[in-house]
Amino acid sequence: MTTEHGRVNQKRRTYNAILTIAATIGNPAEAVPTRPGLRFGLIDHALAPWATRLNDDDPLLTALKRDLAVVIAAESLFCLVDQCGLAPEEAITSVVHTATTLTSAAVRELKARNRKR
């Protein structure tokens, strides 16, 4: 069971993380020359079982990775929280829903492509 103190500390840590990321986005000249692409490793890991059925240069896999990179991003969460008024938990749920929708569409496209062969 989370205490009120624990919730406040979690919100403070989340807020500080958002401010840090926002400062990097707002002042790219002061940031690391190339922002780390941590999301790409996560996306590759998540798609690894499915990607074994495709070539690395398959346009469908390339497009899905690019599409997921847009969704699995701090900027996406900022938009959902700041502009859409969602709570952080709701924003995460929305990102997961969008990523699932994109992946499901790619799987359907792959199945349709395989039926044509």
Side-chain angles (χ1 to χ4, degrees):
M1 185 169 153
T2 305
T3 65
E4 184 64 27
H5 179 71
R7 281 192 291 277
V8 169
N9 282 336
Q10 178 61 39
K11 286 183 179 184
R12 184 176 295 133
R13 285 192 301 272
T14 301
Y15 181 73
N16 288 339
I18 289 172
L19 286 179
T20 301
I21 294 168
T24 301
I25 292 167
N27 299 311
E30 297 174 16
V32 178
T34 303
R35 292 184 184 108
L38 300 177
R39 73 185 89 173
F40 297 105
L42 296 171
I43 291 167
D44 286 341
H45 179 74
L47 295 178
W50 186 66
T52 58
R53 300 181 217 161
L54 304 170
N55 295 326
D56 285 340
D57 62 346
D58 188 294
L60 180 62
L61 183 59
T62 301
L64 178 59
K65 287 181 179 184
R66 185 179 52 240
D67 294 346
L68 289 173
V70 172
V71 174
I72 315 268
E75 297 88 350
S76 299
L77 292 171
F78 294 148
C79 177
L80 291 168
V81 171
D82 296 343
Q83 303 301 314
C84 298
L86 297 181
E89 296 81 13
E90 293 172 312
I92 292 167
T93 299
S94 180
V95 166
V96 169
H97 171 75
T98 305
T100 301
T101 301
L102 289 169
T103 305
S104 296
V107 168
R108 282 191 305 275
E109 188 175 332
L110 177 63
K111 287 179 181 179
R113 187 173 74 180
N114 287 341
R115 280 192 297 268
K116 291 178 184 178
R117 289 183 182 176

